Amino acid sequence: MTTKTAAITAVGGYVPEHVLTNAALEQMVDTNDEWITSRTGIKERRILKPTSLGTSFMAIAAARELVQKKNLDPAAIDLVIVSTATPDMPVSSTAAFVATEIGALNAFAYDLQGACSGFLYGMSAASAHISSGRYQKVLLIGADTMSSIIDYTDRSTCVIFGDGAGAVLFEPNDEDLGLQDEVLRVDGKGREFLKIEAGGSMLPASSDTVAAGKHFLHQEGRPVFKFAVSNMVDAIEQVLDQNNLTKNDIDYVVAHQANKRILDAIAKNLDLDYEQMLVNIERYGNTTAATLPLLLWDYESKLKKNQKLLFTAFGGGFTWGATYLTWAYNT
Ligand code: ACO
């Protein structure tokens, strides 16, 4: 059996209709448009209403769009992976529900928790499943309902995050296009800076944990910012080096949309042209596992066959990495 590369062959996406603007946030907490724009680059974000629709609602919508665009029989899908930090419920699997709802009746499915690097890790898993030769069609979805874990009285986090979902299909490629190489890393000591303390096995949810707001996302922005920039830059340099590439060989950098200043710092450190960076943070904020596929969704018409893309992400854990992928189709 010859090992084949796994290429992205279709993209879908979904963002909720409700728009939460900086002006609206000014009415909720002590903040202002100037602070949010200059510190993060975010102008508005989408919020799932009601929250009880759950992350699966957005994941299903993104997957259905992909299935329709690609004219794909969902029964032909072998595997559905949902990368998410905000599953519908701790148990059962969101991916299982999504697979059944979209008609992927012959698939198996699982959730993957890599926080903001969840989609990047999911690309690795999807590609490895394809290259094993056992599977032909892997649907990878990055989806997060960040509004379900954000304290809307905490100005340091509520301005940053939004909700959304993006989906891609991985298939074997005969021209050696698709995922070429990756550098994926973790540093478990990072959980001190970015976490939800309660609701897991160490501190099960109780009325005390809820009263103390420990079911909300806690982030120490400055250290996270510093680790994010240096680790993403290191991972990108390593993956370029491993593949004898320079930054001039790269058509687009598809970077996790956490903060416009992080994107600027990556571009500056690597001496990239700003046109090489795909950016949509101003409209969606940080949608965690959904930022990378939502970039592909927004920019799909710009991408051309054989172009070289560098993906990078950083998130809770800490988790991070960089992935080199060649684009496999023209729209
Ligand atoms: N409006 C106005 N003032 C604010 C706001 C706000 N929304 N939020 C914080 N401030 C204030 C602070 O209280 C502080 O005031 P003080 O100096 O009087 O104490 C001041 O602004 C500076 O606060 P910092 O936290 O130091 O601000 P910073 O410039 O670091 O920006 C931010 C904060 C945007 C969170 C930034 O640190 C950041 O983006 N960090 C990285 C986040 C990230 O990349 N996360 C990735 C992973 S997310 C995941 O995995 C789920």
Side-chain angles (χ1 to χ4, degrees):
M1 185 188 71
T2 347
T3 307
K4 286 194 180 169
T5 48
I8 292 176
T9 59
V11 177
Y14 174 82
V15 287
E17 274 173 31
H18 181 79
V19 177
L20 180 60
T21 61
N22 290 351
L25 280 163
E26 284 177 13
Q27 308 302 314
M28 296 159 65
V29 287
D30 181 14
T31 191
N32 57 75
D33 176 54
E34 198 283 323
W35 192 98
I36 301 170
T37 307
S38 63
R39 298 291 180 121
T40 70
I42 302 166
K43 283 289 185 188
E44 58 187 42
R45 59 296 285 146
R46 300 300 183 97
I47 303 294
L48 184 66
K49 282 193 186 273
T51 311
S52 59
L53 287 171
T55 295
S56 63
F57 178 85
M58 298 188 294
I60 290 165
R64 282 192 179 140
E65 198 212 38
L66 181 152
V67 162
Q68 198 184 3
K69 263 167 69 181
K70 179 80 176 163
N71 200 14
L72 174 72
D73 176 4
I77 297 170
D78 298 302
L79 165 61
V80 177
I81 303 172
V82 176
S83 294
T84 185
T86 52
D88 283 5
M89 354 172 153
V91 181
S92 293
S93 153
T94 300
F97 185 70
V98 171
T100 299
E101 288 296 301
I102 64 169
L105 304 174
N106 297 306
F108 72 111
Y110 60 84
D111 292 357
L112 189 158
Q113 214 288 38
C116 292
S117 307
F119 190 81
L120 198 74
Y121 286 9
M123 287 171 65
S124 178
S127 164
H129 281 295
I130 297 279
S131 294
S132 75
R134 283 202 292 279
Y135 307 106
Q136 303 296 309
K137 292 187 188 336
V138 178
L139 182 66
L140 171 63
I141 304 169
D144 268 301
T145 312
M146 295 307 288
S147 60
S148 67
I149 55 168
I150 294 299
D151 176 359
Y152 283 92
T153 66
D154 172 10
R155 68 179 182 173
S156 70
T157 51
C158 74
V159 302
I160 295 173
F161 294 96
D163 303 337
V168 301
L169 185 70
F170 273 91
E171 293 183 276
N173 187 277
D174 291 329
E175 299 172 280
D176 209 26
L177 296 169
L179 200 149
Q180 305 292 323
D181 198 13
E182 64 194 11
V183 171
L184 303 178
R185 295 283 182 273
V186 293
D187 178 358
K189 295 195 180 75
R191 71 179 181 183
E192 180 190 333
F193 305 107
L194 187 48
K195 63 185 170 189
I196 296 178
E197 255 189 286
S201 54
M202 284 173 75
L203 188 59
S206 67
S207 50
D208 287 347
T209 63
V210 172
K214 291 184 174 175
H215 57 301
F216 289 128
L217 183 77
H218 166 81
Q219 173 172 257
E220 288 177 41
R222 285 214 173 163
V224 175
F225 191 106
K226 205 179 76 189
F227 284 114
V229 173
S230 64
N231 286 320
M232 280 193 280
V233 167
D234 283 353
I236 290 174
E237 283 178 335
Q238 200 176 327
V239 90
L240 286 175
D241 199 41
Q242 283 174 191
N243 293 279
N244 296 316
L245 296 168
T246 72
K247 54 121 187 162
N248 297 326
D249 297 313
I250 299 304
D251 292 287
Y252 295 111
V253 174
V254 188
H256 174 50
Q257 308 285 291
N259 183 316
K260 172 83 167 31
R261 286 188 297 142
I262 292 181
L263 301 176
D264 292 344
I266 292 173
K268 190 163 169 248
N269 271 279
L270 296 167
D271 195 24
L272 295 164
D273 291 332
Y274 212 75
E275 293 69 55
Q276 288 174 277
M277 309 283 295
L278 301 187
V279 179
N280 61 9
I281 191 171
E282 69 284 356
R283 287 183 291 133
Y284 305 141
N286 181 347
T287 55
T288 301
T291 66
L292 299 183
L294 283 176
L295 281 172
L296 296 178
W297 188 52
D298 276 356
Y299 286 94
E300 188 185 16
S301 62
K302 244 180 116 151
L303 304 175
K304 302 275 174 285
K305 189 173 171 182
N306 290 311
Q307 282 182 331
K308 296 181 172 64
L309 272 55
L310 256 186
F311 291 75
T312 189
F314 182 89
F318 293 132
T319 56
W320 71 92
T323 296
Y324 166 43
L325 175 143
T326 49
W327 198 247
Y329 64 96
N330 296 315
T331 39

